Amino acid sequence: MIIVGGAAAGYTAAVYAARAELEPLLIEGFQWGGQLQNTTDVENYPGFPEGIMGPELMQKFREQAERFGTRFITDDATRIELSDGGIHSVWVGDDEYRARAVILAMGAEPKRLGIPGEMELGGRGVSTCGVCDGAFFKGEKVAVIGGGDSAMEDSIFVSKFADDLTIVHRRDEFRASKIMEERARDRDNITVKTPYVPEEFVAGDDGKLAKVRLRRADTGETEELAVGGAFVAIGHTPRSELVEGQVDIDDGGYVTTEGKSTRTNLAGVFAVGDLVDHTYRQAVTAAGTGTMGALDAEWYLRDLPPSPEAHWFGKSGDAQPDPAEVRAG
Ligand code: NAP
């Protein structure tokens, strides 16, 4: 079994697959750990009542997968060739790996505005996840950028903590569903500011976010909004580019799965985590679907005869790598 993507979903799939003695190969990516790698305190992952830092949580996930014999490639998959019920190939540069079952767990990336201060102030006031970070802004003045359901949901959640919240959207109309828009507008401490485009996040003397510079989309006038927190909620981009045109994908680029399972339209190909999830996008939900993916794949493989064509190193004739060497990354 090959798992592509080393974050909450992929590592959890690896724990289950390794404990089922499927010896999974996890192509975890050069920058493994996913979105939690860029997160500070995680206070909503069950089992850590005091909270845990995002990178530390991912390290623990990884160690648990390793403990049961997962083999790791700490590099990016560069090409994926999927079959329908046959052997699937995943390349890392020139090296080809083959397996009868593949779990796609490449995740999604929050879209960025691409403006000055956005990356620099990540974790110091600028966030892409209201549900994760909202509680850190108790009593503060904050902004939420975006006009879709994510922006409305973040606003409703964060406004429980922040004193004053401004939704900044680039058009006068919202893309969000009417009900979500109304729920946000109905809250006393939420103000809507349109049509404005953020141009820069500016730090104060303490190095934390102090204000957002805004430009009015129709007149071009600029103004500043003093805030201690800003949530960029302008959508996500699922990392499905390597499987596009092979497996069924919806209009948003998310891989689609059958019913409540992780099965894709191709036999032996499973998809889990934020790569399939429009809605919840939490570490714990990603981990949950990772479990489902491993079980679906295990049940699929159980019914197949063993295949000599599925190797770790698919270049025929190559010896199997020393697991200890592979594990060392
Ligand atoms: P979305 O619907 O694509 O909305 C993204 C918003 O961000 C749009 O209002 C867009 O403006 C704005 N935006 C995009 N790029 C921007 C930029 N560079 N600068 C400024 N603004 C920018 O994304 P989403 O809100 O994440 O929702 C994605 C999907 O998940 C939707 O189908 C949604 O219904 C679903 N969802 C549902 C729930 C729920 O039901 N509880 C919660 C979250 C998400 P324009 O409108 O001008 O393009």
Side-chain angles (χ1 to χ4, degrees):
M1 181 196 292
I2 295 176
I3 301 164
V4 188
Y11 289 136
T12 308
V15 169
Y16 273 74
R19 291 191 76 247
E21 299 187 338
L22 291 167
E23 300 183 311
L25 177 72
L26 174 47
I27 300 172
E28 61 181 347
F30 183 67
Q31 288 183 307
W32 55 271
Q35 291 183 56
L36 280 178
Q37 205 64 278
N38 306 318
T39 307
T40 51
D41 288 300
V42 180
E43 293 184 333
N44 55 8
Y45 200 86
F48 297 93
E50 308 302 326
I52 182 166
M53 300 302 271
E56 194 190 342
L57 182 61
M58 281 302 96
Q59 180 66 39
K60 284 183 183 291
F61 269 55
R62 191 179 189 276
E63 281 167 20
Q64 197 169 347
E66 188 173 18
R67 181 178 154 206
F68 299 108
T70 301
R71 307 167 193 224
F72 295 95
I73 307 249
T74 309
D75 210 341
D76 296 335
T78 49
R79 189 176 142 210
I80 299 179
E81 216 172 272
L82 301 171
S83 71
D84 190 5
I87 306 288
H88 316 284
S89 293
V90 183
W91 278 263
V92 177
D94 291 335
D95 294 327
E96 180 190 0
Y97 303 89
R98 294 185 197 152
R100 311 238 20 197
V102 174
I103 298 180
L104 304 172
M106 288 91 82
E109 265 178 325
K111 285 187 188 156
R112 312 274 178 184
L113 292 160
I115 60 174
E118 187 176 19
M119 300 310 281
E120 297 85 334
L121 293 171
R124 282 183 291 154
V126 178
S127 165
T128 51
C129 181
V131 174
C132 320
D133 298 332
F136 301 121
F137 295 89
K138 218 171 166 104
E140 295 208 42
K141 205 167 175 249
V142 302
V144 171
I145 321 295
D149 280 335
S150 294
M152 299 307 114
E153 191 148 287
D154 276 6
S155 301
I156 294 162
F157 185 83
V158 176
S159 69
K160 292 179 189 155
F161 306 96
D163 265 2
D164 185 285
L165 185 147
T166 308
I167 299 175
V168 177
H169 178 39
R170 63 183 176 185
R171 293 186 298 132
D172 289 329
E173 287 81 44
F174 282 79
R175 186 179 294 273
S177 53
K178 274 279 153 283
I179 184 159
M180 296 286 282
E181 182 186 338
E182 244 127 62
R183 265 186 217 155
R185 284 184 186 275
D186 281 352
R187 291 190 78 96
D188 290 341
N189 59 342
I190 294 183
T191 316
V192 172
K193 202 165 173 65
T194 62
Y196 281 88
V197 180
E199 285 203 316
E200 185 179 1
F201 292 112
V202 184
D205 292 339
D206 59 0
K208 292 186 185 157
L209 177 69
K211 54 193 175 189
V212 192
R213 235 202 18 254
L214 302 174
R215 177 174 48 83
R216 219 188 129 107
D218 47 3
T219 63
E221 281 166 48
T222 57
E223 61 180 87
E224 285 175 346
L225 183 67
V227 286
F231 296 86
V232 179
I234 59 171
H236 285 75
T237 310
R239 304 281 311 273
S240 55
E241 62 274 9
L242 291 179
V243 293
E244 226 178 289
Q246 302 187 63
V247 76
D248 282 351
I249 284 174
D250 70 13
D251 291 344
Y254 291 85
V255 174
T256 53
T257 49
E258 270 175 35
K260 287 182 180 169
S261 80
T262 64
R263 291 190 301 273
T264 67
N265 62 312
L266 299 177
V269 179
F270 306 87
V272 299
D274 284 8
L275 185 67
V276 297
D277 183 3
H278 285 253
T279 312
Y280 303 105
R281 300 192 191 106
Q282 301 301 301
V284 67
T285 51
T289 61
T291 301
M292 292 161 62
L295 293 174
D296 283 341
E298 186 188 343
W299 295 329
Y300 170 77
L301 289 170
R302 196 176 52 192
D303 297 333
L304 293 176
S307 166
E309 290 166 74
H311 305 277
W312 294 127
F313 287 105
K315 287 181 286 181
S316 302
D318 277 358
Q320 283 224 24
D322 174 354
E325 211 172 277
V326 176
R327 231 173 275 150

